[in-house]
Amino acid sequence: MKTRRIAELALLTAVALIIFVVELQIPNPFPIPGVKLGLANIVTVFAVYHYRAREVFCIVVARVLLGSVFSGNVMALLYSMAGALLCLAGMLALKRLLPERYIWVCSVLGAVFHNIGQVAVACLIAGWGMLLYFPFLLVSGCLAGAFTGACAQLLLRRLGKNILHG
């Protein structure tokens, strides 16, 4: 991998981590554990459409690992990693079907996959009663996914092709 590419990936990871840390400072208005905007996923959605799968995988894994350390919540690592990896797998598959102008749809469906991963881990750890969270996580995830996808779409429009490839 070229030095420029490594620097780009490191920069995207840093931006995602900064967004994650800033979002940690925003009080959660919802009384349901696990519900949040997931603004750092703007970077992931963007990267899915502009980088190779293994490069996006590195960004996601680094963001989740370092985010867990920065937040001081290592227990959340399992939930976050399962959700993030399932989300990434889903978005990479969807990327083949959805052109870039529908990046927001990919983000919404990625949020659904993320929620499935989180709830699956919760069920393994705490039991099947955790499935009661799924409808709430699904609705909030779709709304958050639409928002982060729209932000990624706007980012792509603002940056233009010249900045992205050159």
Side-chain angles (χ1 to χ4, degrees):
M1 200 178 320
K2 293 184 179 179
T3 305
R4 177 184 168 118
R5 193 66 155 194
I6 292 170
E8 287 175 11
L9 297 174
L11 184 61
L12 286 172
T13 303
V15 168
L17 278 168
I18 290 167
I19 293 170
F20 175 80
V21 170
V22 168
E23 187 178 359
L24 283 176
Q25 305 309 309
I26 301 170
N28 188 355
F30 307 103
I32 302 166
V35 173
K36 65 180 197 164
L37 279 175
L39 297 175
N41 289 322
I42 295 168
V43 174
T44 304
V45 177
F46 168 81
V48 162
Y49 277 84
H50 290 279
Y51 291 89
R52 293 184 201 105
R54 67 185 172 141
E55 294 170 336
V56 184
F57 175 81
C58 290
I59 291 170
V60 168
V61 169
R63 180 188 51 128
V64 171
L65 286 173
L66 292 172
S68 177
V69 171
F70 292 167
S71 69
N73 192 356
V74 180
M75 184 56 192
L77 176 63
L78 205 52
Y79 297 97
S80 297
M81 191 63 78
L85 293 178
L86 194 56
C87 171
L88 178 60
M91 286 197 303
L92 288 170
L94 287 167
K95 172 189 167 187
R96 298 172 194 258
L97 302 172
L98 297 171
E100 191 174 283
R101 70 176 183 259
Y102 296 112
I103 196 171
W104 65 273
V105 175
C106 188
S107 179
V108 170
L109 295 172
V112 170
F113 289 123
H114 188 276
N115 291 144
I116 291 169
Q118 280 184 314
V119 170
V121 169
C123 286
L124 289 173
I125 292 174
W128 292 104
M130 299 307 288
L131 282 174
L132 295 173
Y133 279 116
F134 189 63
F136 301 105
L137 288 176
L138 193 60
V139 170
S140 66
C142 287
L143 293 172
F147 179 74
T148 57
C151 289
Q153 193 88 47
L154 181 64
L155 178 68
L156 288 171
R157 271 194 226 125
R158 297 281 183 198
L159 289 178
K161 297 291 182 190
N162 293 336
I163 294 174
L164 289 173
H165 300 292

